[in-house]
Amino acid sequence: MPAHVLLLGGTTEARRLAADLAARPGIRVTTSLAGRVARPGAVAGELRTGGFGGADGLADWLRAHRVTALVDATHPFAESITANAARAAAVTGVPLVVLRRPGWRPDPGDRWYCVPSVRAAAGTLPRLGRRVFLSTGRLGLAAFAHLTDLHFVVRSVDPPGPPLPPQTELVLARGPFTVAGETELLRTHRIEVLVTKDSGGEATAAKLTAARELALPVVVVRRPALPRGVTAVPDEAGVLERLGLSPL
Ligand code: NAP
């Protein structure tokens, strides 16, 4: 019976881990995606898509598919699935490894305003600037919809649904992004303030460098806490080590 790893994905790290695990004899890897993105990139190994039906549904899936290790490599802001993974692992006894890439850190001189939620980010905006680059993803934009006097440039992979702020320009794009490209975008749209989640990682960090070079204020939404008792590893090497695997 091969080991079966269920990899909760939706991130670059999850895709890289799937490729690593799928290349190892004796390991079966299934990546699980929520199904939010219309055309997700290809993943190595097996793929399943859609919610499990809460922690109980995930626990049932782990049992039914004889999963021997659960890896939560979801986005740092995917709070519900991380909570469900912790509960499902606890009730089934399947070992859980959580991968959380480190958060971003400001450089000296950066003008960061760290806030606890997207709603709080909206509250800071009117005093920081009127032309806003919003890169918090397409969900949660309703928190900004009442800001009718501000002009928003919203970037997301797929088009967002309503409600949106009335003055919204859409930029549909998928990372990774470059500093030159981000600087150009901020300049072209005459952006005065940037709003981002503290997603961490390289793929979307260029906007912070661009904002730094243009001396723009940045509103940073802090990450939700991990479930009680759960600790995370910061990278793929940490996951492999917890799974008892050597680097390929
Ligand atoms: P969430 O709020 O934590 O999850 C909401 C529900 O979606 C979960 O309860 C679960 O449904 C389902 N779900 C989430 N991730 C899943 C997965 N990998 N496989 C199967 N079902 C999943 O998550 P979210 O913030 O909407 O993010 C959804 C996905 O997008 C995640 O996989 C995440 O890695 C990725 N992503 C999120 C962000 C972000 O900013 N939040 C950014 C980039 C990528 P059930 O309860 O029915 O199982």
Side-chain angles (χ1 to χ4, degrees):
M1 179 76 68
H4 185 191
V5 178
L6 177 64
L7 185 52
L8 302 172
T11 58
T12 310
E13 295 90 327
R15 192 171 300 115
R16 286 198 297 245
L17 264 175
D20 181 296
L21 294 172
R24 294 170 188 258
I27 296 186
R28 174 182 169 202
V29 57
T30 304
T31 294
S32 175
L33 299 178
R36 303 272 192 278
V37 174
R39 285 185 304 283
V43 294
E46 296 169 42
L47 178 67
R48 69 161 300 285
T49 303
F52 295 93
D56 291 344
L58 176 53
D60 290 345
W61 204 97
L62 296 176
R63 290 189 195 99
H65 295 84
R66 297 173 188 270
V67 171
T68 51
L70 175 60
V71 176
D72 173 7
T74 56
H75 190 272
F77 281 82
E79 197 174 358
S80 302
I81 189 72
T82 291
N84 292 348
R87 279 202 294 274
V91 299
T92 57
V94 172
L96 169 68
V97 185
V98 179
L99 166 58
R100 278 295 170 280
R101 57 176 95 125
W104 290 316
R105 299 240 179 260
D107 272 13
D110 278 350
R111 291 168 60 202
W112 281 20
Y113 298 81
C114 294
V115 294
S117 64
V118 170
R119 187 162 298 282
T124 65
L125 278 184
R127 67 188 170 86
L128 291 178
R130 308 196 75 73
R131 296 186 62 85
V132 185
F133 179 41
L134 207 49
S135 64
T136 48
R138 78 191 153 97
L139 304 174
L141 296 178
F144 300 91
H146 65 288
L147 296 169
T148 52
D149 290 346
L150 306 190
H151 182 93
F152 289 91
V153 174
V154 170
R155 181 167 68 198
S156 61
V157 176
D158 289 319
L164 297 174
Q167 299 185 53
T168 295
E169 258 180 275
L170 279 183
V171 176
L172 296 182
R174 189 196 298 258
F177 302 104
T178 63
V179 175
E182 298 292 60
T183 306
E184 172 73 14
L185 184 119
L186 296 177
R187 280 216 176 99
T188 307
H189 292 279
R190 292 177 287 116
I191 295 299
E192 297 168 350
V193 55
L194 162 68
V195 182
T196 180
K197 293 175 177 169
D198 178 15
S199 298
E202 292 299 314
T204 57
K207 63 192 170 194
L208 298 172
T209 311
R212 182 174 305 135
E213 286 174 1
L214 298 172
L216 297 182
V218 181
V219 182
V220 180
V221 181
R222 281 194 291 267
R223 297 168 167 207
L226 285 170
R228 192 186 298 267
V230 171
T231 56
V233 296
D235 52 25
E236 292 109 281
V239 174
L240 295 176
E241 195 181 319
R242 290 259 183 114
L243 293 175
L245 299 169
S246 319
L248 282 177

